[in-house]
Amino acid sequence: MQPSIRRKLNSMKPTASSAARKAGNLSVFAVIVSIFIFGCFMYNEDVKSIAEFPFSRPKAQEIQQGDKGTTVSVVVNSRTVVETEVEDTNSATSTTATTTSSSDDDVNQKEEAGSVILKPNQENADEDQKKIARPADENTDDDDDEEEIEIPPEDCDLFTGQWVLDNVTHPLYREEECEFLTAQVTCLRNGRKDTLFQNWRWQPRDCSLPKYKPRLLLEKLRNKRLMFVGDSLNRNQWESMICLVQSVVPEDRKSLNKTGSLSVFKIEDYNATVEFYWAPFLVESNSDDPNMHSILNRIIMPESINKHGQNWKNVDYLVFNTYIWWMNTFAMKILRGSFDDGSTDYDEIPRPEAYGRVLNTWAKWVDENIDPNRTKVFFMSMSPLHIKSLDWENPGGIKCAKETAPILNTSMPLNVGTDRRLLMVAANITQSMKVPVNFINITKLSEYRKDAHTSVHTIRQGKMLTPEQQADPTTFADCIHWCLPGLPDTWNEFLYTRIMSRS
């Protein structure tokens, strides 16, 4: 048996050669011991650092989930909204980390909410083996947003189809979740008992509308302005659009301000606005005051639009409409001269002729002032009224009151009083313009929705209808405007489809 090195060294006399050999062996031994000690030290320091700093905010990174290869993007900055589910496999609870867009001042205040917390298992030295996974049975918003949406073919007719009862995907939001709705449209809060009017989804005949995802729309609106221009039906649709986007925006990162004819809903983290500009005839009229406009003797200036038009410049998406304010008389009053000059004399001409003059003035303004490379223009067709229940073969009905279902027999001839002469004027003019205009034909599909009006569950002249007034739908039912959530959400699904496909 070979004696140990230590024993050999003790039994030998120190010679010059043996002394050199001894020094060499000691040097090798010292190096080996040093490397071993240094490795242990670094190992311990690494474990220590993980244990001492489990709550530090990670930088933007991608973390692989085990063998699945699924990537979880964790983004922490002042502009992007990301929600990530992080589950500690050694813990019974999962931590949801939400990074909300905020200013630099807000980042520090929201540090804890914006951090991904990884709790180390201090009994397990293999910290690098820790798995980060989302709960398999939980459908998070991020999973939903990462899913691709299917855009219908460009030549698909979105406006021919049928209403389908769908209480899974519709309504797209809840009335009580949208604080920006006005009392005019909050039908459930105002006493309406039936709710199915919120659950009808429009199904085009030859394709399908893409699944609505608010964050995708907000990304398209980033650093952009979306403006609705027109009457109270466009305001109805504007309120719907606010509700469609605001649900994913933190409370302190959204605001609504009104100045004169312009109302602006701002989403801070996307530097985006959803706006409404009051101009019921698009051109100048004596009904342009955004607050005091209940005027029966309505007078217009068909060739005067610049006073309004200067407010529509530098907007990225313009959505126009004008219709309901034309419907109280068969002839329109055309001012001789100018409102600024105090003129009061007027001529009367047939409604379609006046409508054509106004839309030609509008079309000329668009062609001369809009850069189609920057701005997309939409024109909403006529939103119908439901005044006579005999129009849908309900002799016992009172206007639109107590209607709880759409007209589902789409083959039935239907005439609810829509002035289709104006519809044809709008369709022809928008098709002949130099600047491309997306004509959103909501008229026929909306005519089926006798159930979706605010009826007696609304306000009148700024005041909620009293129980006595609600009991008198013949006098007080509003069969012009629409409950929200409701039909205008579908109109905005059409806008969403066009914005997503053409941006």
Side-chain angles (χ1 to χ4, degrees):
M1 181 176 180
Q2 185 178 1
S4 67
I5 294 176
R6 183 178 299 275
R7 183 168 298 174
K8 275 189 176 182
L9 291 173
N10 291 336
S11 61
M12 294 177 64
K13 293 181 180 180
T15 64
S17 59
S18 66
R21 201 178 300 115
K22 176 180 178 181
N25 290 336
L26 287 174
S27 299
V28 172
F29 180 79
V31 170
I32 293 174
V33 172
S34 299
I35 292 174
F36 177 79
I37 294 174
F38 179 78
C40 293
F41 174 81
M42 292 303 293
Y43 177 81
N44 289 336
E45 283 299 303
D46 185 53
V47 174
K48 181 180 178 181
S49 65
I50 297 176
E52 287 184 351
F53 303 103
F55 306 117
S56 60
R57 177 188 290 263
K59 297 180 180 179
Q61 56 185 312
E62 290 186 344
I63 305 173
Q64 294 292 333
Q65 294 188 21
D67 296 330
K68 295 182 180 180
T70 303
T71 298
V72 181
S73 295
V74 183
V75 182
V76 181
N77 57 41
S78 62
R79 297 296 303 165
T80 308
V81 178
V82 176
E83 292 184 355
T84 308
E85 291 283 342
V86 180
E87 184 179 37
D88 183 0
T89 56
N90 295 307
S91 172
T93 61
S94 62
T95 303
T96 302
T98 304
T99 349
T100 59
S101 302
S102 59
S103 65
D104 293 337
D105 292 338
D106 291 333
V107 169
N108 292 332
Q109 297 175 5
K110 299 179 180 179
E111 182 81 24
E112 184 175 356
S115 301
V116 177
I117 301 174
L118 305 181
K119 297 182 179 180
N121 181 358
Q122 297 181 0
E123 296 178 357
N124 185 358
D126 296 328
E127 292 294 333
D128 58 333
Q129 297 298 317
K130 184 175 293 297
K131 294 182 179 180
I132 303 174
R134 301 184 187 188
D137 59 346
E138 186 169 347
N139 183 21
T140 65
D141 289 340
D142 276 347
D143 289 333
D144 188 57
D145 287 339
E146 290 173 1
E147 176 187 342
E148 291 184 358
I149 62 172
E150 183 176 349
I151 301 296
E154 191 72 21
D155 59 352
C156 181
D157 179 7
L158 301 180
F159 314 113
T160 299
Q162 62 183 341
W163 288 102
V164 177
L165 188 62
D166 180 356
N167 59 6
V168 175
T169 67
H170 285 61
L172 297 174
Y173 57 90
R174 300 289 179 182
E175 177 188 295
E176 64 273 12
E177 295 172 350
C178 187
E179 61 187 282
F180 300 98
L181 289 176
T182 60
Q184 182 182 37
V185 299
T186 51
C187 297
L188 298 184
R189 187 186 307 162
N190 299 341
R192 182 165 181 170
K193 302 303 181 184
D194 65 297
T195 62
L196 283 183
F197 68 92
Q198 298 182 339
N199 299 120
W200 294 94
R201 173 177 56 82
W202 180 250
Q203 177 60 56
R205 181 185 59 196
D206 300 322
C207 57
S208 294
L209 297 175
K211 183 177 181 180
Y212 175 70
K213 298 182 179 181
R215 285 193 177 87
L216 289 185
L217 179 56
L218 283 172
E219 282 298 335
K220 292 295 184 183
L221 296 180
R222 185 182 290 279
N223 300 319
K224 290 182 171 59
R225 298 173 65 192
L226 166 62
M227 180 185 287
F228 293 84
V229 178
D231 57 30
S232 55
L233 274 307
N234 239 20
R235 184 178 63 208
N236 208 167
Q237 187 177 355
W238 168 70
E239 289 191 45
S240 161
M241 182 61 80
I242 289 177
C243 293
L244 286 171
V245 299
Q246 69 88 34
S247 62
V248 294
V249 181
E251 284 296 326
D252 60 342
R253 309 301 294 165
K254 53 192 172 186
S255 61
L256 177 60
N257 294 292
K258 299 181 180 181
T259 305
S261 297
L262 184 63
S263 300
V264 179
F265 178 74
K266 187 170 185 179
I267 306 109
E268 297 287 346
D269 297 326
Y270 291 84
N271 190 32
T273 57
V274 180
E275 308 175 31
F276 171 71
Y277 183 89
W278 173 260
F281 292 100
L282 299 182
V283 296
E284 282 190 65
S285 76
N286 64 346
S287 304
D288 288 343
D289 189 296
N291 300 312
M292 304 294 293
H293 48 248
S294 296
I295 299 172
L296 294 178
N297 191 34
R298 299 168 183 173
I299 305 173
I300 64 175
M301 295 176 60
E303 282 71 47
S304 181
I305 198 171
N306 288 334
K307 185 177 290 187
H308 291 319
Q310 63 182 350
N311 297 281
W312 310 338
K313 295 180 179 180
N314 301 316
V315 174
D316 301 278
Y317 299 101
L318 280 167
V319 185
F320 293 95
N321 93 314
T322 180
Y323 175 67
I324 196 62
W325 282 65
W326 296 79
M327 296 302 292
N328 68 329
T329 58
F330 290 103
M332 296 301 297
K333 298 177 176 63
I334 308 301
L335 185 70
R336 298 177 188 169
S338 169
F339 291 117
D340 294 336
D341 297 336
S343 301
T344 57
D345 294 337
Y346 57 82
D347 299 314
E348 292 194 10
I349 64 175
R351 183 195 298 158
E353 180 183 343
Y355 195 80
R357 283 175 62 178
V358 165
L359 285 201
N360 278 318
T361 299
W362 166 80
K364 182 181 178 181
W365 184 91
V366 169
D367 282 342
E368 292 178 353
N369 292 275
I370 294 301
D371 176 6
N373 293 319
R374 172 185 175 168
T375 302
K376 301 296 183 288
V377 181
F378 302 87
F379 192 93
M380 308 299 298
S381 73
M382 293 69 210
S383 172
L385 297 75
H386 292 87
I387 302 298
K388 300 176 182 178
S389 62
L390 282 176
D391 292 341
W392 53 90
E393 300 178 356
N394 181 13
I398 304 176
K399 300 171 75 172
C400 65
K402 299 181 180 180
E403 297 289 346
T404 58
I407 299 167
L408 298 178
N409 181 10
T410 56
S411 63
M412 180 185 75
L414 184 61
N415 181 6
V416 296
T418 304
D419 192 337
R420 278 183 158 70
R421 299 172 301 172
L422 306 192
L423 180 64
M424 292 305 298
V425 169
N428 290 335
I429 290 178
T430 54
Q431 290 175 7
S432 64
M433 294 169 60
K434 179 178 66 176
V435 172
V437 175
N438 297 279
F439 187 72
I440 309 298
N441 191 355
I442 61 171
T443 302
K444 186 175 182 180
L445 63 93
S446 300
E447 287 179 333
Y448 298 137
R449 295 305 307 274
K450 59 184 174 61
D451 61 311
H453 289 286
T454 55
S455 184
V456 295
H457 309 290
T458 186
I459 59 176
R460 188 182 180 95
Q461 297 179 344
K463 296 181 180 180
M464 192 68 60
L465 294 183
T466 65
E468 293 74 22
Q469 290 172 326
Q470 289 183 330
D472 182 12
T474 302
T475 304
F476 293 100
D478 179 352
C479 298
I480 298 173
H481 301 97
W482 309 91
C483 298
L484 290 178
L487 176 62
D489 302 327
T490 299
W491 303 348
N492 280 325
E493 286 190 84
F494 296 137
L495 289 184
Y496 169 74
T497 302
R498 292 305 184 213
I499 290 173
M500 296 303 294
S501 64
R502 298 182 181 182
S503 294

